[in-house]
């Protein structure tokens, strides 16, 4: 089955700096890669996603890159703000229908003011 | 966007009792739903896939007789934790697929 590895487990940056979180996946059939932000006690919130036919996607301060050959994808947050502090999860699945989503272990991001 | 609800949002029960958690897709139909468990400071671990009209599919290591799943209709899946023990205390989240996965708000279970 699919296995998703995520690094680092903890990331501390200064406000205004960039943050990068990296993930690798094992199942070459996976073609949908969402990123979630989760605040304590709440549901995961989708912040950006990418499908396998695209190598990069950007939404304001957030971007995701995908390297299908190497089976890794990364989240980039620029101009970080204290409110970006949260736990971020990468995930992988085969489409978004009846196929299950497997999550990475999570990265706890601290943005220091 | 699509909305998924869960009930209850939190529950406290005594060890040995059973607890039922409901997951509903409010404005769309879901033939498949997923149940996750999340322990403190850990990731979401997929427990099982709930299938409308057929048996649930459980992930390796998840006891199907302990975590009963029933997909009663195209908008409702239930997870029953039977004979709950303190180690079952966790945050349980369901999701339903659409353009992406739509997550319920989660149910926090505390077993005393």
């Amino acid at each position: 089955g699919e296995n998703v590895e995520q690094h680092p487990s903890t990331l501390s940056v200064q406000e205004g700096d960039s943050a990068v979180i990296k993930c690798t996946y094992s199942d070459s059939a996976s073609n949908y890669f969402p990123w979630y932000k989760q605040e304590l006690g709440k549901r995961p919130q989708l912040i950006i996603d990418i499908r396998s036919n695209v190598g990069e996607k950007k939404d304001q301060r957030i971007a995701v890159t995908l390297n299908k050959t190497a089976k890794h994808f990364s989240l980039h947050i620029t101009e970080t703000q204290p409110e970006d502090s949260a736990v971020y999860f990468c995930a992988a699945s085969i489409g978004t229908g009846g196929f299950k989503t497997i999550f990475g272990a999570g990265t706890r991001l601290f943005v220091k003011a | 966007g699509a909305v998924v609800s869960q009930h209850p949002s939190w529950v406290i029960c005594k060890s040995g009792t059973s607890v039922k958690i409901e997951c509903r897709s409010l404005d769309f139909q879901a033939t498949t739903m997923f149940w996750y468990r999340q322990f403190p400071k850990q990731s979401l671990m997929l427990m099982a896939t709930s299938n409308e009209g057929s048996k649930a599919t459980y992930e390796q290591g998840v006891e199907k007789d302990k975590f009963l799943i029933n997909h009663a209709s195209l908008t409702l899946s239930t997870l029953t934790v039977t004979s709950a023990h303190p180690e079952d205390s966790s945050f349980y989240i369901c999701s339903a697929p659409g353009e992406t996965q739509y997550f319920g708000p989660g149910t926090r279970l505390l077993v005393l």
Side-chain angles (χ1 to χ4, degrees):
Chain A
E2 176 66 277
N3 181 51
V4 179
E5 295 191 357
Q6 182 172 349
H7 300 280
S9 57
T10 305
L11 180 59
S12 183
V13 300
Q14 213 50 50
E15 182 179 3
D17 288 350
S18 295
V20 180
I21 303 171
K22 298 182 178 182
C23 289
T24 61
Y25 62 99
S26 62
D27 191 344
S28 56
S30 291
N31 59 5
Y32 177 65
F33 307 93
W35 285 88
Y36 297 94
K37 177 182 181 182
Q38 188 180 31
E39 298 178 353
L40 191 62
K42 297 189 176 181
R43 77 186 88 190
Q45 176 191 359
L46 179 71
I47 56 172
I48 196 167
D49 57 11
I50 191 167
R51 299 179 191 275
S52 60
N53 59 344
V54 176
E56 183 174 357
K57 183 177 179 180
K58 188 174 181 180
D59 183 5
Q60 298 183 359
R61 297 187 296 110
I62 297 173
V64 58
T65 59
L66 171 65
N67 183 328
K68 280 215 71 176
T69 302
K71 293 186 199 167
H72 64 69
F73 55 115
S74 302
L75 177 71
H76 304 251
I77 306 174
T78 58
E79 300 172 32
T80 54
Q81 302 167 3
E83 50 266 39
D84 293 330
S85 297
V87 179
Y88 292 80
F89 293 99
C90 62
S93 73
I94 304 172
T96 58
F99 295 98
K100 54 191 177 184
T101 300
I102 303 301
F103 285 77
T107 296
R108 190 169 296 273
L109 174 65
F110 298 95
V111 180
K112 295 178 286 187
Chain B
V3 178
V4 174
S5 70
Q6 270 183 254
H7 179 81
S9 57
W10 59 271
V11 57
I12 301 173
C13 70
K14 292 182 179 180
S15 186
T17 61
S18 294
V19 174
K20 180 185 284 188
I21 302 170
E22 294 185 349
C23 177
R24 294 182 184 272
S25 55
L26 297 186
D27 50 0
F28 66 106
Q29 295 182 334
T31 57
T32 301
M33 290 184 179
F34 301 97
W35 287 96
Y36 294 85
R37 179 169 54 183
Q38 185 177 32
F39 292 110
K41 297 187 178 182
Q42 293 188 24
S43 185
L44 283 78
M45 297 301 297
L46 181 66
M47 299 176 67
T49 303
S50 175
N51 304 298
E52 191 271 335
S54 64
K55 292 182 179 179
T57 306
Y58 291 82
E59 294 300 302
Q60 189 173 9
V62 178
E63 301 175 59
K64 61 180 181 180
D65 294 331
K66 180 172 181 61
F67 298 99
L68 301 180
I69 291 173
N70 181 32
H71 203 125
S73 72
L74 288 172
T75 59
L76 173 64
S77 174
T78 60
L79 169 68
T80 301
V81 183
T82 63
S83 187
H85 289 102
E87 56 265 32
D88 297 323
S89 298
S90 188
F91 191 48
Y92 292 86
I93 308 176
C94 67
S95 73
E99 290 188 2
T100 185
Q101 288 290 337
Y102 300 104
F103 288 91
T107 297
R108 189 161 301 280
L109 170 63
L110 177 60
V111 184
L112 301 177

Coordinates of all heavy atoms in Angstrom, one line a residue, chain B residues 8-63:
Chain B
P8 N -21.5 12.7 17.9 CA -21.4 13.9 18.6 C -20.0 14.6 18.4 O -19.2 13.9 17.8 CB -21.5 13.5 20.1 CG -21.0 12.1 20.1 CD -21.3 11.5 18.8
S9 N -19.8 15.8 18.8 CA -18.5 16.4 18.7 C -17.6 15.9 19.8 O -16.4 15.9 19.5 CB -18.7 17.9 18.7 OG -19.3 18.3 19.9
W10 N -18.1 15.5 20.9 CA -17.3 14.9 21.9 C -18.1 14.0 22.8 O -19.3 14.2 22.9 CB -16.6 16.0 22.8 CG -17.5 16.9 23.5 CD1 -18.0 18.1 23.1 CD2 -18.1 16.7 24.8 NE1 -18.9 18.7 24.0 CE2 -18.9 17.9 25.1 CE3 -18.0 15.7 25.8 CZ2 -19.6 18.0 26.3 CZ3 -18.6 15.9 27.0 CH2 -19.4 17.0 27.2
V11 N -17.5 13.0 23.3 CA -18.3 12.1 24.2 C -17.3 11.5 25.2 O -16.2 11.2 24.9 CB -18.9 10.9 23.3 CG1 -17.9 10.2 22.4 CG2 -19.7 10.0 24.1
I12 N -17.9 11.3 26.4 CA -17.1 10.7 27.5 C -17.9 9.5 27.9 O -19.2 9.5 28.1 CB -17.0 11.6 28.7 CG1 -16.3 12.9 28.3 CG2 -16.3 10.9 29.8 CD1 -16.2 14.0 29.4
C13 N -17.3 8.3 28.0 CA -18.0 7.1 28.3 C -17.2 6.3 29.3 O -16.0 6.5 29.5 CB -18.3 6.3 27.1 SG -16.9 5.6 26.3
K14 N -17.8 5.3 29.9 CA -17.1 4.4 30.8 C -16.5 3.3 30.1 O -17.1 2.8 29.0 CB -18.1 3.9 31.9 CG -18.6 5.0 32.9 CD -19.5 4.4 33.9 CE -20.0 5.4 34.9 NZ -20.9 4.8 35.9
S15 N -15.5 2.7 30.6 CA -14.8 1.6 30.0 C -15.8 0.4 29.9 O -16.6 0.2 30.8 CB -13.6 1.2 30.9 OG -12.9 0.2 30.2
G16 N -15.8 -0.2 28.8 CA -16.7 -1.4 28.6 C -18.0 -1.0 27.8 O -18.7 -1.9 27.4
T17 N -18.3 0.2 27.7 CA -19.5 0.6 27.0 C -19.2 0.8 25.5 O -18.1 0.8 25.1 CB -20.1 1.9 27.6 OG1 -19.2 3.0 27.5 CG2 -20.5 1.7 29.1
S18 N -20.3 1.0 24.7 CA -20.2 1.2 23.3 C -20.5 2.6 22.9 O -21.4 3.2 23.6 CB -21.0 0.2 22.5 OG -20.6 -1.1 22.7
V19 N -19.9 3.2 21.9 CA -20.2 4.5 21.5 C -20.4 4.6 20.0 O -19.6 4.0 19.3 CB -19.0 5.5 21.9 CG1 -19.2 6.8 21.3 CG2 -18.8 5.5 23.4
K20 N -21.4 5.3 19.6 CA -21.7 5.4 18.1 C -21.4 6.8 17.7 O -21.8 7.8 18.3 CB -23.1 5.0 17.8 CG -23.5 5.1 16.3 CD -24.9 4.9 16.1 CE -25.3 3.4 16.1 NZ -26.7 3.2 15.7
I21 N -20.7 6.9 16.6 CA -20.4 8.2 16.0 C -21.0 8.2 14.6 O -20.8 7.3 13.8 CB -18.8 8.4 15.9 CG1 -18.2 8.3 17.3 CG2 -18.5 9.8 15.3 CD1 -16.7 8.3 17.2
E22 N -21.7 9.3 14.3 CA -22.3 9.5 13.0 C -21.6 10.4 12.1 O -21.1 11.5 12.6 CB -23.8 10.0 13.1 CG -24.7 9.0 13.8 CD -26.1 9.5 13.9 OE1 -26.3 10.7 13.5 OE2 -27.0 8.7 14.2
C23 N -21.5 10.1 10.8 CA -20.9 11.0 9.8 C -21.9 11.2 8.7 O -22.4 10.2 8.1 CB -19.6 10.3 9.3 SG -18.8 11.2 8.0
R24 N -22.2 12.4 8.4 CA -23.2 12.7 7.4 C -22.7 13.7 6.3 O -22.0 14.6 6.6 CB -24.5 13.3 8.0 CG -25.3 12.5 8.9 CD -26.5 13.2 9.5 NE -27.2 12.3 10.4 CZ -28.1 11.5 10.1 NH1 -28.5 11.3 8.8 NH2 -28.7 10.7 11.0
S25 N -23.0 13.3 5.1 CA -22.7 14.3 4.0 C -24.0 15.1 3.8 O -25.1 14.5 3.6 CB -22.4 13.5 2.7 OG -23.3 12.6 2.4
L26 N -23.9 16.4 4.0 CA -25.2 17.2 4.1 C -25.7 17.6 2.8 O -27.0 17.7 2.6 CB -24.9 18.4 5.0 CG -24.5 18.1 6.4 CD1 -24.4 19.4 7.2 CD2 -25.5 17.2 7.1
D27 N -24.9 17.8 1.8 CA -25.4 18.4 0.5 C -25.0 17.6 -0.7 O -25.0 18.1 -1.8 CB -25.1 19.8 0.4 CG -23.6 20.1 0.6 OD1 -22.9 19.1 0.9 OD2 -23.2 21.2 0.5
F28 N -24.5 16.4 -0.4 CA -24.1 15.5 -1.5 C -24.2 14.1 -1.1 O -24.2 13.8 0.1 CB -22.7 15.9 -2.0 CG -21.6 15.6 -1.0 CD1 -20.7 14.5 -1.2 CD2 -21.4 16.4 0.1 CE1 -19.7 14.2 -0.3 CE2 -20.4 16.1 1.0 CZ -19.6 15.0 0.8
Q29 N -24.2 13.2 -2.0 CA -24.2 11.8 -1.7 C -22.8 11.1 -1.7 O -22.0 11.5 -2.5 CB -25.2 11.0 -2.7 CG -26.6 11.5 -2.6 CD -27.5 10.7 -3.6 OE1 -27.0 10.2 -4.6 NE2 -28.8 10.6 -3.2
A30 N -22.6 10.2 -0.9 CA -21.3 9.6 -0.7 C -21.5 8.1 -0.6 O -21.9 7.6 0.4 CB -20.6 10.1 0.5
T31 N -21.1 7.4 -1.7 CA -21.1 5.9 -1.7 C -20.0 5.4 -0.8 O -20.0 4.2 -0.4 CB -21.1 5.3 -3.1 OG1 -19.9 5.8 -3.7 CG2 -22.3 5.7 -3.9
T32 N -19.0 6.2 -0.7 CA -17.8 5.8 0.1 C -17.5 6.9 1.2 O -17.6 8.1 0.8 CB -16.6 5.6 -0.8 OG1 -16.8 4.6 -1.7 CG2 -15.3 5.2 0.0
M33 N -17.2 6.5 2.3 CA -16.7 7.4 3.4 C -15.5 6.8 4.0 O -15.3 5.6 4.0 CB -17.8 7.7 4.4 CG -18.9 8.6 3.8 SD -20.1 9.0 5.1 CE -21.3 10.0 4.2
F34 N -14.7 7.6 4.6 CA -13.5 7.1 5.3 C -13.5 7.5 6.8 O -13.9 8.6 7.1 CB -12.2 7.6 4.6 CG -12.1 7.3 3.1 CD1 -12.5 8.2 2.2 CD2 -11.6 6.1 2.7 CE1 -12.5 7.9 0.8 CE2 -11.5 5.8 1.4 CZ -12.0 6.7 0.4
W35 N -13.0 6.6 7.6 CA -12.8 6.9 9.0 C -11.4 6.9 9.4 O -10.6 6.0 9.1 CB -13.6 5.8 9.8 CG -15.1 6.0 9.8 CD1 -15.9 5.3 9.0 CD2 -15.8 6.9 10.6 NE1 -17.2 5.7 9.2 CE2 -17.2 6.7 10.2 CE3 -15.6 7.8 11.6 CZ2 -18.2 7.4 10.8 CZ3 -16.6 8.5 12.2 CH2 -17.9 8.3 11.8
Y36 N -11.0 8.0 10.1 CA -9.6 8.1 10.6 C -9.6 8.3 12.1 O -10.6 8.7 12.7 CB -9.0 9.4 10.0 CG -8.8 9.4 8.5 CD1 -9.8 9.8 7.6 CD2 -7.6 9.0 7.9 CE1 -9.6 9.8 6.3 CE2 -7.4 9.0 6.6 CZ -8.4 9.4 5.7 OH -8.2 9.4 4.4
R37 N -8.5 7.9 12.6 CA -8.2 8.1 14.1 C -7.0 8.9 14.2 O -6.0 8.7 13.5 CB -8.1 6.8 14.8 CG -7.9 6.8 16.3 CD -8.0 5.5 16.9 NE -7.2 4.5 16.3 CZ -7.2 3.2 16.7 NH1 -8.0 2.8 17.7 NH2 -6.5 2.3 16.1
Q38 N -7.0 9.9 15.1 CA -5.8 10.7 15.4 C -5.5 10.8 16.8 O -6.3 11.4 17.6 CB -6.0 12.1 14.7 CG -4.8 13.0 14.8 CD -5.0 14.3 14.1 OE1 -6.1 14.9 14.1 NE2 -4.0 14.9 13.6
F39 N -4.4 10.3 17.3 CA -4.0 10.4 18.6 C -3.2 11.8 18.8 O -2.8 12.3 17.8 CB -3.1 9.3 19.0 CG -3.8 8.0 19.1 CD1 -3.6 6.9 18.2 CD2 -4.7 7.7 20.1 CE1 -4.3 5.7 18.3 CE2 -5.4 6.5 20.2 CZ -5.2 5.5 19.3
P40 N -3.1 12.3 20.0 CA -2.5 13.6 20.2 C -1.1 13.6 19.6 O -0.3 12.7 19.7 CB -2.4 13.7 21.7 CG -3.5 12.9 22.2 CD -3.6 11.7 21.3
K41 N -0.9 14.7 18.9 CA 0.4 15.0 18.2 C 0.8 14.0 17.2 O 2.0 13.8 16.9 CB 1.5 15.2 19.3 CG 1.3 16.4 20.2 CD 2.5 16.6 21.1 CE 2.2 17.8 22.0 NZ 3.4 18.1 22.9
Q42 N -0.1 13.3 16.7 CA 0.1 12.3 15.6 C -0.7 12.6 14.4 O -1.5 13.5 14.3 CB -0.2 10.9 16.1 CG 0.8 10.4 17.2 CD 0.6 8.9 17.5 OE1 0.1 8.2 16.7 NE2 1.0 8.6 18.7
S43 N -0.4 11.8 13.3 CA -1.1 12.0 12.1 C -2.5 11.3 12.1 O -2.8 10.6 13.0 CB -0.2 11.5 10.9 OG -0.8 11.8 9.7
L44 N -3.2 11.6 11.0 CA -4.5 10.9 10.8 C -4.2 9.5 10.2 O -3.5 9.4 9.2 CB -5.4 11.6 9.8 CG -6.1 12.9 10.3 CD1 -5.2 14.1 10.4 CD2 -7.3 13.2 9.4
M45 N -4.6 8.5 10.9 CA -4.4 7.1 10.5 C -5.7 6.6 10.0 O -6.7 6.5 10.7 CB -3.9 6.3 11.7 CG -2.6 6.7 12.2 SD -1.3 6.7 11.0 CE -1.2 5.0 10.6
L46 N -5.7 6.1 8.7 CA -6.9 5.6 8.2 C -7.3 4.3 8.9 O -6.5 3.4 9.0 CB -6.7 5.3 6.7 CG -7.9 4.7 5.9 CD1 -9.1 5.7 5.9 CD2 -7.5 4.3 4.5
M47 N -8.5 4.2 9.3 CA -9.0 3.0 10.0 C -9.7 2.0 9.0 O -9.5 0.8 8.9 CB -10.0 3.3 11.1 CG -9.4 4.2 12.2 SD -10.7 4.6 13.4 CE -11.0 3.0 14.1
A48 N -10.6 2.6 8.2 CA -11.5 1.8 7.4 C -12.2 2.7 6.3 O -12.3 3.9 6.4 CB -12.5 1.1 8.2
T49 N -12.6 2.0 5.3 CA -13.4 2.6 4.2 C -14.8 2.0 4.3 O -15.0 0.8 4.3 CB -12.8 2.2 2.8 OG1 -11.4 2.6 2.8 CG2 -13.6 2.9 1.7
S50 N -15.7 3.0 4.4 CA -17.1 2.6 4.6 C -17.8 2.6 3.2 O -17.7 3.6 2.5 CB -17.8 3.6 5.5 OG -19.2 3.4 5.6
N51 N -18.4 1.5 2.8 CA -19.0 1.4 1.5 C -20.5 1.2 1.6 O -21.0 0.3 2.3 CB -18.4 0.2 0.8 CG -16.9 0.3 0.7 OD1 -16.4 1.2 0.1 ND2 -16.3 -0.7 1.3
E52 N -21.3 2.1 1.0 CA -22.7 2.0 1.0 C -23.2 0.7 0.3 O -22.7 0.4 -0.8 CB -23.3 3.2 0.3 CG -24.8 3.3 0.5 CD -25.6 2.6 -0.6 OE1 -25.1 2.4 -1.7 OE2 -26.8 2.2 -0.3
G53 N -23.9 -0.1 1.0 CA -24.4 -1.3 0.4 C -23.5 -2.6 0.5 O -23.9 -3.6 0.0
S54 N -22.4 -2.4 1.1 CA -21.5 -3.5 1.2 C -20.7 -3.4 2.5 O -20.7 -2.4 3.2 CB -20.6 -3.7 0.0 OG -19.7 -2.6 -0.1
K55 N -19.9 -4.4 2.8 CA -19.1 -4.4 4.0 C -18.0 -3.3 3.9 O -17.4 -3.0 2.9 CB -18.5 -5.7 4.3 CG -19.5 -6.8 4.6 CD -18.8 -8.1 4.9 CE -19.8 -9.2 5.3 NZ -19.1 -10.5 5.5
A56 N -17.6 -2.8 5.1 CA -16.5 -1.9 5.2 C -15.2 -2.6 4.9 O -15.1 -3.8 5.2 CB -16.5 -1.2 6.5
T57 N -14.2 -1.9 4.5 CA -12.9 -2.4 4.3 C -12.0 -1.9 5.4 O -11.8 -0.6 5.5 CB -12.3 -2.0 2.9 OG1 -13.2 -2.4 1.9 CG2 -11.0 -2.7 2.7
Y58 N -11.3 -2.7 6.1 CA -10.5 -2.3 7.3 C -9.0 -2.3 6.9 O -8.6 -3.2 6.2 CB -10.8 -3.2 8.5 CG -12.2 -3.0 9.1 CD1 -13.3 -3.6 8.5 CD2 -12.4 -2.1 10.2 CE1 -14.6 -3.4 9.0 CE2 -13.7 -1.9 10.7 CZ -14.7 -2.6 10.1 OH -16.0 -2.4 10.7
E59 N -8.3 -1.3 7.5 CA -6.9 -1.3 7.3 C -6.2 -2.3 8.2 O -6.8 -2.8 9.2 CB -6.3 0.1 7.6 CG -6.8 1.2 6.6 CD -6.4 0.9 5.2 OE1 -5.2 0.7 5.0 OE2 -7.3 0.8 4.3
Q60 N -5.1 -2.7 7.8 CA -4.3 -3.7 8.6 C -4.2 -3.3 10.1 O -3.8 -2.1 10.3 CB -3.0 -4.0 8.0 CG -2.2 -5.2 8.5 CD -1.0 -5.5 7.8 OE1 -0.5 -4.7 6.9 NE2 -0.3 -6.6 8.0
G61 N -4.5 -4.2 11.0 CA -4.3 -3.9 12.4 C -5.5 -3.3 13.1 O -5.5 -3.1 14.3
V62 N -6.6 -3.0 12.3 CA -7.8 -2.4 12.9 C -8.8 -3.6 13.1 O -9.1 -4.3 12.1 CB -8.4 -1.4 11.9 CG1 -9.7 -0.8 12.5 CG2 -7.4 -0.2 11.8
E63 N -9.3 -3.7 14.3 CA -10.2 -4.8 14.6 C -11.6 -4.5 14.1 O -12.3 -3.6 14.6 CB -10.2 -5.1 16.1 CG -8.8 -5.4 16.7 CD -9.0 -5.5 18.2 OE1 -9.8 -6.3 18.7 OE2 -8.3 -4.7 18.9

